[in-house]
Amino acid sequence: MVESLSEAAAEVRQNAHAPYSNFKVGAALRAASGKIYVGCNVENVAYPQGTCAEAGAIAAMVAAGETELVKVHVIADAPMPVTPCGGCRQKLAEFGRGVTPVTMSTTRGESMTMTLDELLPGAFNTAHIEPKG
Ligand code: THU
């Protein structure tokens, strides 16, 4: 059984459906319960319909009934660690905290860790929404 986030991310990356970009990404989240949820990118011939690895992992976590993530790991085969796209930073921020660490690694052995606050400074959040009614 896979126990580390990095192993889980590397393993699920192999299942990525990325025939258009040939860029496979794996993501693993540790939820508040301690459980790991994984996702990979799933591309589509109608290109904008593709989804990122992080989005898949978040969907798996929420589908399992959890809404709090405490650690994230993303892996790709790239010359440098791949940072989550802008949309995924906002999606991760929905379920993490500013201090939540996101480790980005490459299959070539490089690794870099940043917090969600560092990845998405000034994030739009619930504090910006005035209660209505
Ligand atoms: N991709 C991810 O899944 N996560 C990231 O953090 C960066 C990009 C995917 C989207 C697309 O399938 C492929 O990588 C190339 O952009």
Side-chain angles (χ1 to χ4, degrees), residues 27-41:
L29 315 174
R30 174 89 57 191
S33 67
K35 280 193 192 158
I36 293 176
Y37 297 96
V38 296
C40 54
N41 53 332

Side-chain angles (χ1 to χ4, degrees), residues 24-89:
K24 292 185 167 200
V25 185
L29 315 174
R30 174 89 57 191
S33 67
K35 280 193 192 158
I36 293 176
Y37 297 96
V38 296
C40 54
N41 53 332
V42 181
E43 297 182 350
N44 192 283
V45 63
Y47 296 169
Q49 300 305 325
T51 51
C52 287
E54 295 89 329
I58 289 169
M61 178 185 77
V62 174
E66 295 211 57
T67 54
E68 199 184 327
L69 60 87
V70 298
K71 209 163 190 271
V72 183
H73 194 106
V74 182
I75 187 166
D77 179 9
M80 65 192 76
V82 171
T83 55
C85 76
C88 284
R89 294 177 197 208

